[in-house]
Amino acid sequence: VEVGAVLEPALPTGKSGYVEALRAARGRGVPWLRAEAGRRFDVDGMIVEVLHPPATPRDPQPERRDANSTSVVVAVRFGAFDALLTGDAPAEVEREVAGALGGGFEVLKVAHHGSDTSTDSVLLARTRPRVGLVSVGRGNRYGHPSPDVLGRLRRAGTEVRRTDREGT
């Protein structure tokens, strides 16, 4: 896959996967961009707008932040198509972001693999997604997606698609 840029919350870690990704990007001349609310990109007419994390972190001590609470959340718009990509954002972040959104999203990338810490009824009522995509591995040790999340999606009238059953 040709990568034009890496967009992330800029909270470096010493984890090997993170360091390897930095090295690979640098080695290929791929820019590494800080995600911050309000940042917008136009990619051949597709608008990508960063909704979270905020430009100024609420907790100035990065070592105390929960990585999920700094997940990158973006709205992707192309013509009449809208998708909301929520990363691993917990419900508190989703509610914060949902307050600034209108409804009518065609696609919601269900947060945190369908964990019961995300995809609450406030987000679903505000965004009214037609399809919810759950990126989850078969037989994962966490039991994702949560039956509660699946129930909330059904009650919201959202068609659920799952990678553990349908592949990519």
Side-chain angles (χ1 to χ4, degrees), residues 24-100:
R26 186 178 327 126
R28 290 176 176 87
V30 174
W32 198 271
L33 307 174
R34 180 171 182 235
E36 54 188 21
R39 193 164 200 176
R40 293 172 60 103
F41 304 90
D42 183 330
V43 182
D44 296 330
M46 177 181 69
I47 304 299
V48 178
E49 180 181 4
V50 178
L51 305 172
H52 191 269
T56 305
R58 287 179 188 80
D59 184 350
Q61 297 177 303
E63 67 279 359
R64 292 183 12 182
R65 286 189 221 135
D66 169 47
N68 292 338
S69 69
T70 59
S71 266
V72 177
V73 178
V74 299
V76 177
R77 296 179 171 89
F78 186 75
F81 174 83
D82 297 303
L84 181 62
L85 311 179
T86 55
D88 282 348
E92 305 81 59
V93 168
E94 291 177 337
R95 283 191 293 272
E96 181 183 309
V97 168

Side-chain angles (χ1 to χ4, degrees), residues 66-69 71 73 86-96 109-124 142-150 152:
D66 169 47
N68 292 338
S69 69
S71 266
V73 178
T86 55
D88 282 348
E92 305 81 59
V93 168
E94 291 177 337
R95 283 191 293 272
E96 181 183 309
K109 186 287 204 178
V110 173
H112 206 177
H113 317 287
S115 164
D116 61 7
T117 62
S118 305
T119 317
D120 75 357
S121 54
V122 172
L123 175 78
L124 294 171
Y142 301 103
H144 294 154
S146 160
D148 290 341
V149 168
L150 295 174
R152 287 193 292 268

